[in-house]
Amino acid sequence: MTMGALHEGHASLIRAARAHVGRDGFVVATVFVNPLQFGAGEDLDRYPRTLEADLRTAREAGADTVFAPSVDEVYPGGDPQVTIGAGPMGGRLEGASRPGHFDGMLTVVAKLFHLTAPDAAFFGQKDAQQLALIRRMVRDLNFPVEIVGVPTVREDDGLALSSRNRYLTPADRRTALLLSRALFAARDRLAAQRWLRARAAATPCSDARAAGLSALGEARLAADAHAVACAAGSCGAASTGADAVRAAALAVLKLGERADPPLRLDYLALVDPADFTEVPDDFTGEAVLAVAAWIGTTRLIDNIPLTFGATGR
């Protein structure tokens, strides 16, 4: 299911669907710009509509057909009086910034499920909260469809593919790259923490040893020993858990305040993918680090999955 203006990210969904059903299966792509999920002042009127190009992209990616209904076909008689409510998760993050957005999204997804009757439906992980809500709706309302998440597709510079990227000027794009760089910085911070904890477990190191090395002039060894001691929890330093990962991302996003054009942060959140509530510093398990920001007149979102704990990355 797409809103059109198809790019390589959408094509990856279609290819994943084709691989899932095989040569003899039937793949349908939907193209519908859903007015119910656009709030007042959002970009419904200027949202790109490129149906002819979309048909070519869908065909080349492996779709058998494209269902591109009109607004009157999907909502005969105007806006529906009965809609689907997104519940508590729908009021967080994107839902807080865009009230009613997820109610409109779930309503059209439910209608398109009925109209196309899929056995499996494929959605990008770039819209992580949307994906979580669709999974919740399918589970809670007993839709007979398998929901498959497909990894985010990025350009060579790291920017997540989005139909709204075409709004970015060259200067906007330079600023927009801070979104993915912030997420990658957080991922790298988490990887470094895991490495230090592994060192601490294999070679215990006290903060006293670090101080001794420093007194001997071994600054680099002292710094390493101090980091290992902190990873072991013996130095009383700042967080080495989820809060430190958030801080690493925020430090990069802060650079955007001085960029031209500046980055205006909407939110940065490290959340439990089950309900999109913030995770505590000592959290273990799967999490999603999500960010939304304005660059000029364009609002972009991005996220990255992270795993905290012994098997984390």
Side-chain angles (χ1 to χ4, degrees), residues 193-205 227-233 310:
Q193 289 175 186
R194 291 189 63 233
W195 181 83
L196 287 170
R197 289 193 182 104
R199 281 280 309 277
T203 310
C205 184
V228 172
C230 288

Side-chain angles (χ1 to χ4, degrees), residues 20-212:
H20 185 82
V21 302
R23 293 176 58 185
D24 297 330
F26 196 79
V27 176
V28 179
T30 67
V31 173
F32 180 67
V33 181
N34 178 33
L36 259 63
Q37 64 194 71
F38 287 80
E42 293 190 338
D43 58 349
L44 173 61
D45 291 337
R46 71 167 185 149
Y47 195 87
R49 293 162 172 83
T50 58
L51 184 58
E52 290 304 315
D54 293 346
L55 295 175
R56 290 193 298 272
T57 299
R59 181 175 60 251
E60 292 168 0
D64 292 293
T65 193
V66 173
F67 179 50
S70 68
V71 172
D72 289 339
E73 288 176 286
V74 177
Y75 301 120
D79 289 352
Q81 295 186 33
V82 177
T83 61
I84 291 180
M89 194 195 322
R92 299 175 185 132
L93 300 189
E94 283 297 288
S97 296
R98 305 176 66 189
H101 166 72
F102 285 128
D103 293 352
M105 180 275 295
L106 290 177
T107 297
V108 80
V109 168
K111 288 179 71 73
L112 290 171
F113 280 164
H114 290 311
L115 292 168
T116 61
D119 297 300
F122 294 72
F123 296 90
Q125 292 176 356
K126 183 177 109 25
D127 296 293
Q129 192 173 3
Q130 169 181 281
L131 176 59
L133 281 163
I134 291 170
R135 283 179 166 148
R136 184 76 196 208
M137 177 184 73
V138 165
R139 181 169 68 251
D140 286 354
L141 301 183
N142 300 104
F143 279 81
V145 58
E146 176 188 0
I147 303 301
V148 182
V150 178
T152 300
V153 177
R154 298 184 181 276
E155 301 196 38
D156 291 343
D157 57 10
L159 185 67
L161 288 180
S162 168
S163 298
R164 290 183 170 90
N165 288 355
R166 66 186 65 200
Y167 300 155
L168 300 173
T169 67
D172 290 341
R173 187 182 175 88
R174 287 192 293 273
T175 299
L177 290 176
L178 291 171
L179 295 182
S180 58
R181 289 174 183 169
L183 298 179
F184 298 156
R187 179 191 62 193
D188 292 346
R189 177 61 182 266
L190 181 57
Q193 289 175 186
R194 291 189 63 233
W195 181 83
L196 287 170
R197 289 193 182 104
R199 281 280 309 277
T203 310
C205 184
S206 70
D207 217 33
R209 179 172 182 269

Side-chain angles (χ1 to χ4, degrees), residues 207-223:
D207 217 33
R209 179 172 182 269
L213 287 167
S214 181
L216 292 172
E218 297 289 348
R220 292 183 62 182
L221 288 174

